[in-house]
Amino acid sequence: MLRLAIQSKGRLNEESTALLREIGIDIDDSRRKFLAQAPNFPIEILYMRDDDIPQVVSAGTAALGIVGLNEVEERGLSVDVVARLGFGGCRISLAVPKGADYDGPKWFAGKRIATSYPKILKKWLDEQGIEARIEIITGSVEIAPAADIADAIFDIVSSGGTLVSNGLVEVEKVFFSEAVLIANKELDAQARGILDEILFRIDSAMVSRRKKYILMNLPTSAVEEATRILPAMRSPTVMPLAAEGWCSMHSVVDEADLWDKIRQLKAIGAEGILVLNIDKIIP
Ligand code: PRT
Ligand code: ZN
């Protein structure tokens, strides 16, 4: 049995739970307890505030955790980041009041910067050789300049809407974050085995997310050309159709290339193209 800490409520909770479901780990969170068992996997879920997750994993109270990379970096505790999970994407940026005469990092020398991420900020300031005053604030950092508590802020940005509505302009993107799976550094062999199974399943879920299943009718004469356009895991599946001179071709494509491939396939006579989501890919 291995314990996995996830955020109890907040931005990462829903997608953490969804990812666990996607990899076949059902959790009974209907009564939202502190601890929940997975009936079909040797894992127990520990719900907590995201701030505490790096610490419980580092101490071994939980073997694993799902948390923003920003929290891991800020806490500076020793844990292994074992997978990037592709959600909770954001950055930590410096922002200054609109209309400030910002002319580069040196602008911050001697200024007061409000943040909940003093360590990450200090590291960046040191790298730039700048001395500034760090004002540690937890929550509503964006109002600090208007309240004259600070001259600038260093805070999480995703859409940028919060900055705009507080009259601030993002000037330096310092740290890029997303949700990550972290692990205690001293897992025993049994825990490692469970972690490997989780990583294998996450890998397959992440690959499937970026891929689409595509099938189409194709003149038999165009099969060779289509195979060049659609190199599948081994090679595309081709099946004859009842209509003479036609076949059905099936393959898997990267979502990023999808429209480009469709254009090329139509140009060589493909018809009735279907694009389907993939539930799992096991390479
Ligand atoms: O209660 P608990 O301590 O567990 O939660 P929390 O309030 O500390 O964290 P929470 O739930 O707000 O965020 C959890 C994690 O989500 C963060 O540590 C980041 O890794 C990630 N994340 C992704 C974000 C955002 N996007 C985000 N936009 N965390 C916070 N924000 C804030 C940001 O500070 C801004 O004030 O959301 C506001 C809106 O952002 P814009 O740019 O979209 O307007
Ligand atoms: Zn928090």
Side-chain angles (χ1 to χ4, degrees):
M1 177 67 72
L2 187 148
R3 193 177 282 168
L4 166 69
I6 67 172
Q7 194 188 26
S8 52
K9 50 183 192 299
R11 280 163 208 276
L12 302 182
N13 167 268
E14 221 166 87
E15 281 178 285
S16 302
T17 313
L19 175 68
L20 294 175
R21 291 227 167 83
E22 195 179 340
I23 64 170
I25 301 176
D26 294 326
I27 42 175
D28 170 25
D29 61 350
S30 49
R31 276 167 294 141
R32 192 44 67 74
K33 296 160 293 194
F34 182 56
L35 270 174
Q37 312 290 329
N40 58 352
F41 198 81
I43 209 169
E44 172 176 72
I45 309 297
L46 175 65
Y47 294 99
M48 48 184 8
R49 289 200 57 184
D50 68 342
D51 312 49
D52 301 329
I53 293 177
Q55 194 187 332
V56 296
V57 172
S58 165
T61 313
L64 305 176
I66 295 179
V67 67
L69 188 60
N70 52 311
E71 289 297 328
V72 180
E73 179 77 7
E74 180 63 24
R75 306 288 146 192
L77 295 163
S78 141
V79 293
D80 285 331
V81 174
V82 290
R84 291 184 167 254
L85 302 176
F87 62 88
C90 58
R91 53 196 186 268
I92 314 183
S93 296
L94 280 153
V96 301
K98 211 169 123 201
D101 54 348
Y102 186 77
D103 55 355
K106 289 201 169 40
W107 185 89
F108 292 103
K111 297 279 202 307
R112 299 164 302 166
I113 310 171
T115 188
S116 315
Y117 294 93
K119 267 198 194 158
I120 299 176
L121 175 57
K122 176 81 169 62
K123 186 166 167 237
W124 185 82
L125 289 170
D126 287 350
E127 279 164 15
Q128 305 291 322
I130 292 167
E131 276 194 45
R133 253 172 60 197
I134 300 177
E135 306 288 346
I136 302 173
I137 294 183
T138 53
S140 302
V141 170
E142 65 278 359
I143 63 164
D148 197 26
I149 298 165
D151 305 301
I153 68 163
F154 179 61
D155 197 14
I156 294 184
V157 180
S158 58
S159 68
T162 301
L163 293 184
V164 171
S165 58
N166 284 280
L168 299 166
V169 183
E170 182 176 16
V171 290
E172 301 289 340
K173 297 173 184 172
V174 171
F175 185 83
F176 290 84
S177 179
E178 69 183 284
V180 291
L181 179 68
I182 56 172
N184 178 268
K185 280 193 170 285
E186 278 139 35
L187 295 183
D188 61 26
Q190 193 203 8
R192 240 290 121 247
I194 299 173
L195 171 59
D196 285 346
E197 177 64 24
I198 292 173
L199 288 174
F200 169 69
R201 294 187 189 188
I202 288 177
D203 228 32
S204 119
M206 306 274 274
V207 171
S208 334
R209 262 189 228 164
R210 293 191 304 269
K211 304 271 191 190
K212 296 284 174 193
Y213 192 82
I214 185 167
L215 53 151
M216 73 214 75
N217 294 334
L218 199 68
T220 315
S221 57
V223 166
E224 206 177 308
E225 184 79 42
T227 309
R228 268 199 296 277
I229 299 169
L230 290 176
M233 279 190 272
R234 208 169 286 276
S235 72
T237 307
V238 180
M239 285 176 282
L241 290 185
E244 185 76 26
W246 282 83
C247 64
S248 163
M249 182 182 251
H250 299 210
S251 191
V252 171
V253 290
D254 279 337
E255 189 165 19
D257 302 334
L258 183 66
W259 291 103
D260 186 40
K261 301 281 187 198
I262 287 175
R263 187 182 46 75
Q264 294 180 51
L265 291 164
K266 280 173 71 81
I268 61 165
E271 290 179 359
I273 301 174
L274 293 182
V275 178
L276 307 175
N277 288 330
I278 296 173
D279 195 39
K280 301 277 181 298
I281 293 180
I282 316 295

